[in-house]
Amino acid sequence: MIDRYTRPEMGNIFELEHKYEVWQEIEVLACEAHAELGESGITREEAKWIRDHAKFNKAEVDEIEAVTNHDVIAFLTNMGSYIDADVPEGEPKPSRWVHYGMTSSDLGDTALCYQLCEATDILIDDCRKLGEICRRRAFEERNTLCVGRTHGIHAEPMTFGMKFGSWAWELKRDLDRLRDARKNVSFGAISGAVGTYSSIDPRVEEYVCKHLGLVHDPLSTQVISRDHHAYLAGVLATTAATCERIATEIRNLQRTDTLEAEEPFRKGQKGSSAMPHKRNPITVEKVCGLSRVVKANAQVAFDNVALWHERDISHSSAERVAQADSFIALDHMFQCLIRIVDGLQLYPAQMMANLNKTKGLIFSSKVLLHLVDTGITREDAYKIVQENAMATWHEIQQCDPNGTTFRAKLVADPRCSHLTKEELDKIFDPWSFLGRIDVVFDRLEQLSFD
């Protein structure tokens, strides 16, 4: 992922330097496990020597890999040189115990799962923060009237706080999925060339995994099966889709024709190189764009599940790119939305203007039900309401300066002559739709991101 979207906290997890640090720890833990078991020949003193002297130099590893064309061998060669550097001439070299009975995937797959847990922990914190902001803003805008839209068309009145609340609940589900996916990928495997423990005691695997906070894979082949990783990638894609949903709503609300909300426009910010008046929703547009990357990368993870026999390497190159990019992109998306949602600028007066833009058409469902309550069949009531509504629509479409409101048309319709002013006042009160929203906010009170 390019630096533009990479936050150091997340990017560092996928740097080679950090991966080699994890590799080093796994190799040292394996040596200590062997020494604890006392069956392979390595002594506790040698294990301590390895712990005290193990290190690596990335540049040197790169030079060795240029010759070996094998990253694990290059790393082990380099680390071994540091372990043995201070060993007296003629003494046995402790590095001979490093990687004892292991294969490359024992090291690489265990380290990768550890890194994915680290990265998921950051996303869990991101998701929690954004969810808590959405919940707080929901209560702040609990009574801010706006029009609800379905199919992009004005439907019925609602409050803006419900938008924030809906996002909060979805983020809670994302949080639960992220936590579950982290658990599902928290595995390690040190089981040898095809998972038979042919040259290594299973207790070494258990020891290493326990010290890394992982669970030993109950049956690995040469690799940890990629369904674990695919599930995580799918959760990342779902979470990215939530971020895209939030961003898309803000983009639509920032349209000049709507203008009910805007992402913060910082002092000194410029909207267009050609049009100085522009205030474009560029940050939420970026979120939508990066969501496509994360969702597409999930397909890569799904394709990585089916490997040949006990393992091939077709998954490796793909996931080196896709996994890091997905985590870095989603972290950046969260950071953008945390700032945007927390500082989202709202325009209640414009919301009311939009709510009244269709001259009362949004009250059609209440008129329909009230006519039914008076004894008119639903079919006849629907006909009355629709005829008057379509006449109002036509006048709105033509910008007719002599057009009347939906309510005025109903008053003039002899089929509605039995409706009193008091009844119409009640029907055409936007709060008549919202008498039960306390239920929604009572439920939201119970929402926790702990």
Side-chain angles (χ1 to χ4, degrees), residues 55 85 131 180 224 230 413 415:
K55 64 179 182 177
D180 186 59
I224 296 172
D413 189 329
R415 295 170 295 180

Side-chain angles (χ1 to χ4, degrees), residues 105-120:
S105 290
D106 290 335
L107 178 61
D109 271 21
T110 302
L112 176 59
C113 286
Y114 182 84
Q115 289 172 275
L116 294 178
C117 288
E118 290 182 305
T120 305

Side-chain angles (χ1 to χ4, degrees), residues 178-191:
L178 284 167
R179 286 169 170 162
D180 186 59
R182 185 198 188 281
K183 180 180 179 181
N184 190 66
V185 82
S186 300
F187 284 89
I190 301 179
S191 56

Side-chain angles (χ1 to χ4, degrees), residues 255-387:
R255 292 172 183 266
T256 305
D257 315 82
T258 306
L259 201 55
E260 293 182 359
E262 283 186 304
E263 67 173 55
F265 196 80
R266 293 168 168 166
K267 183 178 181 180
Q269 184 175 334
K270 304 294 189 292
S272 166
S273 62
M275 298 168 284
H277 72 278
K278 295 295 290 295
R279 291 166 64 100
N280 300 327
I282 57 171
T283 305
V284 283
E285 287 176 331
K286 175 174 60 175
V287 169
C288 291
L290 288 175
S291 175
R292 298 167 190 169
V293 174
V294 181
K295 290 184 293 184
N297 283 346
Q299 184 63 52
V300 175
F302 297 145
D303 291 341
N304 282 344
V305 174
L307 304 179
W308 285 12
H309 303 298
E310 278 59 59
R311 186 244 183 159
D312 66 59
I313 203 172
S314 62
H315 64 289
S316 179
S317 56
E319 67 187 17
R320 287 178 193 233
V321 175
Q323 286 174 342
D325 279 5
S326 290
F327 275 96
I328 292 170
L330 187 51
D331 177 54
H332 184 71
M333 292 161 65
F334 269 126
Q335 295 307 308
C336 290
L337 288 178
I338 286 169
R339 178 179 67 85
I340 295 298
V341 176
D342 191 38
L344 189 64
Q345 297 174 309
L346 304 182
Y347 304 116
Q350 185 63 44
M351 294 179 198
M352 286 302 298
N354 288 337
L355 190 143
N356 294 318
K357 194 172 186 178
T358 54
K359 297 185 176 182
L361 288 180
I362 59 174
F363 301 98
S364 69
S365 63
K366 289 292 186 183
V367 177
L368 173 66
L369 293 178
H370 190 79
L371 289 175
V372 170
D373 288 342
T374 64
I376 301 176
T377 67
R378 182 178 179 84
E379 290 74 17
D380 289 342
Y382 196 98
K383 182 179 180 181
I384 294 170
V385 174
Q386 188 179 44
E387 286 177 359

Side-chain angles (χ1 to χ4, degrees), residues 212-229:
L212 292 175
L214 303 175
V215 177
H216 63 275
D217 193 319
L219 201 166
S220 56
T221 57
Q222 190 181 94
V223 296
I224 296 172
S225 296
R226 258 42 189 182
D227 64 289
H228 296 282
H229 309 68

Side-chain angles (χ1 to χ4, degrees), residues 9 40 46 84 91 103 128 146 161-162 179-180 203 228 247 249 335 341 367-368 439:
E9 295 93 318
S40 62
E46 286 175 312
D84 295 340
E91 292 291 319
T103 192
R128 181 185 55 77
C146 65
M162 295 180 67
R179 286 169 170 162
D180 186 59
R203 290 175 293 177
H228 296 282
E249 181 68 7
Q335 295 307 308
V341 176
V367 177
L368 173 66
V439 173

Side-chain angles (χ1 to χ4, degrees), residues 4-218:
R4 184 182 185 91
Y5 304 134
T6 304
R7 194 163 62 115
E9 295 93 318
M10 181 64 82
N12 290 343
I13 291 173
F14 296 99
E15 291 289 343
L16 274 176
E17 187 81 21
H18 181 63
K19 181 172 80 168
Y20 290 158
E21 290 170 353
V22 181
W23 280 11
Q24 175 179 302
E25 181 62 16
I26 291 171
E27 293 289 356
V28 171
L29 285 170
C31 290
E32 292 172 342
H34 280 298
E36 287 283 334
L37 293 172
E39 295 179 358
S40 62
I42 180 174
T43 65
R44 294 176 185 270
E45 290 73 24
E46 286 175 312
K48 185 177 186 307
W49 179 279
I50 291 170
R51 167 67 70 183
D52 293 341
H53 292 81
K55 64 179 182 177
F56 63 88
N57 181 288
K58 179 184 172 299
E60 294 170 358
V61 175
D62 291 343
E63 291 176 5
I64 299 169
E65 187 180 357
V67 176
T68 64
N69 199 29
H70 196 293
D71 56 352
V72 173
I73 292 175
F75 170 79
L76 294 172
T77 300
N78 182 247
M79 190 174 82
S81 69
Y82 285 99
I83 291 171
D84 295 340
D86 296 329
V87 176
E89 188 71 29
E91 292 291 319
K93 305 298 185 184
S95 69
R96 71 190 189 279
W97 301 114
V98 174
H99 208 65
Y100 188 84
M102 295 169 60
T103 192
S104 297
S105 290
D106 290 335
L107 178 61
D109 271 21
T110 302
L112 176 59
C113 286
Y114 182 84
Q115 289 172 275
L116 294 178
C117 288
E118 290 182 305
T120 305
D121 284 339
I122 291 178
L123 294 184
I124 286 171
D125 188 55
D126 289 344
C127 189
R128 181 185 55 77
K129 287 178 180 176
L130 181 57
E132 288 174 343
I133 289 170
C134 288
R135 182 183 181 279
R136 170 176 56 80
R137 295 227 59 185
F139 285 101
E140 290 173 355
E141 307 303 331
R142 176 175 184 158
N143 296 318
T144 302
L145 274 175
C146 65
V147 66
R149 299 169 175 88
T150 58
H151 306 276
I153 307 301
H154 288 198
E156 291 184 352
M158 59 180 291
T159 74
F160 207 94
M162 295 180 67
K163 293 180 184 288
F164 286 119
S166 177
W167 301 343
W169 279 113
E170 188 164 337
L171 287 162
K172 170 59 175 174
R173 294 190 291 274
D174 288 324
L175 180 62
D176 291 342
R177 285 187 285 260
L178 284 167
R179 286 169 170 162
D180 186 59
R182 185 198 188 281
K183 180 180 179 181
N184 190 66
V185 82
S186 300
F187 284 89
I190 301 179
S191 56
V194 291
T196 63
Y197 303 97
S198 58
S199 301
I200 196 165
D201 193 306
R203 290 175 293 177
V204 174
E205 177 185 71
E206 294 173 10
Y207 180 96
V208 172
C209 288
K210 179 180 179 181
H211 283 74
L212 292 175
L214 303 175
V215 177
H216 63 275
D217 193 319

